[in-house]
Amino acid sequence: MKLFISADIEGCSGTTLSAETHKEEACYRQFADRMTEEVRTVCLAALEAGADEIVVKDGHGDATNIDFMRMPKGVKLIRGKSGHPYNMMFGLDVTFDGVLFVGYHSPAGSSESPLSHTSTGASNFITLNGKEMSEFMLNTYTAAMLGVPVLFLSGDQGICDQAKEMIPAITTVSTKYGIGASTINESPETVLEMLAEQTRAAVTKNFKSCKVKLPKQFEYVVNYKDLHKAYRMSFYPHFERIDNRTNRLVTTNYFDVLTAHHFVVY
């Protein structure tokens, strides 16, 4: 069994403030350590449950947050930003049996977490076929494009709920929930216990129940915080300017969405 793990930091237990996710801030290190520990726990549980090979993609910021010295034997860690439109899913291909998401968070426009955003802080919201587009949705469709099922997600309660809506059979672990600018967090020990238990459950069930079918057409809409950025990005090929803050792309090819997103929100 070959598994791919895409990891972020904002959905790990404890993280609440933007400063806690930025390397230049003194408070960052303990939360990077927490991200490492949650990823390590999921890896160990998956290996125990029968995984033969695991590839982890560090998906936050410059993608050098996870302590590679703490990754278990049998795990490969992808660090840094390749520049490929797959971004947080770089390294995934058709040879993988399943995908797991660790430390994911609610999307831009959501009130479910004080750290809600989609890829960057550039947008007020992004929608895909009329629904709020989270990094979970973006990356799940990347996996679906390659025929790989998404088995597991951990993160804030809001993204767990959205994951269940999109993939009813997915296994989730809620690390916290947000109220206004605050988070109410499970204890670190409890989260690690849940991660281990639910990872084992996720990788020993019928993977076919977690496969997602790609829509036949995609309407990708970005509403920007910055008027100037909205104007500049409206010149991206095949983007349509809807209003002063909003651009739209319509396509039948999901890779077009990935490529557009790679350029217009960063």
Side-chain angles (χ1 to χ4, degrees):
M1 180 177 17
K2 185 177 180 182
L3 300 176
F4 186 90
I5 296 175
S6 175
D8 208 346
I9 199 169
E10 287 92 352
C12 293
S13 57
T15 50
T16 303
L17 305 177
S18 179
E20 295 168 347
T21 71
H22 294 153
K23 276 189 173 180
E24 64 273 15
E25 302 291 346
C27 55
Y28 158 83
R29 187 67 258 164
Q30 66 174 310
F31 296 97
D33 288 344
R34 185 63 199 174
M35 179 184 180
T36 298
E37 192 59 31
E38 292 190 11
V39 170
R40 174 181 166 82
T41 297
V42 169
C43 287
L44 287 171
L47 290 166
E48 179 186 330
D52 304 299
E53 182 181 350
I54 298 174
V55 175
V56 174
K57 176 65 182 85
D58 188 324
H60 175 68
D62 67 1
T64 60
N65 309 277
I66 297 170
D67 184 351
F68 72 97
M69 295 294 289
R70 289 161 63 187
M71 290 296 97
K73 182 179 180 180
V75 175
K76 294 178 182 177
L77 175 63
I78 301 175
R79 306 179 75 236
K81 308 277 277 189
S82 70
H84 192 283
Y86 281 8
N87 198 358
M88 297 174 76
M89 302 297 279
F90 176 71
L92 183 69
D93 59 36
V94 297
T95 67
F96 285 85
D97 297 298
V99 168
L100 298 87
F101 295 135
V102 177
Y104 270 50
H105 53 82
S106 294
S110 170
S111 62
E112 300 292 331
S113 167
L115 294 172
S116 294
H117 67 281
T118 302
S119 299
T120 70
S123 63
N124 290 310
F125 62 83
I126 302 174
T127 63
L128 190 63
N129 290 349
K131 294 188 175 182
E132 283 184 342
M133 193 187 80
S134 61
E135 291 166 29
F136 164 78
M137 180 186 286
L138 179 76
N139 296 336
T140 291
Y141 278 143
T142 301
M145 185 173 65
L146 297 168
V148 184
V150 175
L151 313 174
F152 173 91
L153 173 138
S154 68
D156 63 65
Q157 185 62 53
I159 197 59
C160 288
D161 292 342
Q162 290 188 22
K164 282 285 189 181
E165 181 180 346
M166 189 170 177
I167 310 174
I170 196 172
T171 302
T172 63
V173 170
S174 175
T175 60
K176 59 190 171 189
Y177 63 93
I179 300 177
S182 68
T183 60
I184 300 175
N185 299 270
E186 298 287 350
S187 73
E189 294 82 4
T190 298
V191 168
L192 294 184
E193 289 174 2
M194 291 191 299
L195 288 174
E197 178 183 352
Q198 295 305 314
T199 296
R200 287 190 291 266
V203 302
T204 54
K205 66 184 176 185
N206 183 352
F207 289 9
K208 290 182 180 179
S209 64
C210 292
K211 278 204 168 185
V212 171
K213 187 177 180 180
L214 279 177
K216 293 182 179 180
Q217 181 169 289
F218 300 92
E219 182 189 44
Y220 169 77
V221 177
V222 184
N223 180 276
Y224 293 90
K225 294 178 180 177
D226 186 305
L227 290 168
H228 181 212
K229 187 175 182 69
Y231 177 71
R232 285 189 296 112
M233 293 302 113
S234 71
F235 294 98
Y236 180 85
H238 308 297
F239 242 28
E240 176 188 1
R241 186 166 167 83
I242 303 301
D243 60 39
N244 287 342
R245 293 189 184 274
T246 313
N247 299 325
R248 177 176 67 178
L249 172 72
V250 177
T251 180
T252 57
N253 184 353
Y254 187 63
F255 193 74
D256 291 343
V257 175
L258 289 177
T259 305
H261 188 77
H262 182 65
F263 285 97
V264 304
V265 302
Y266 286 89

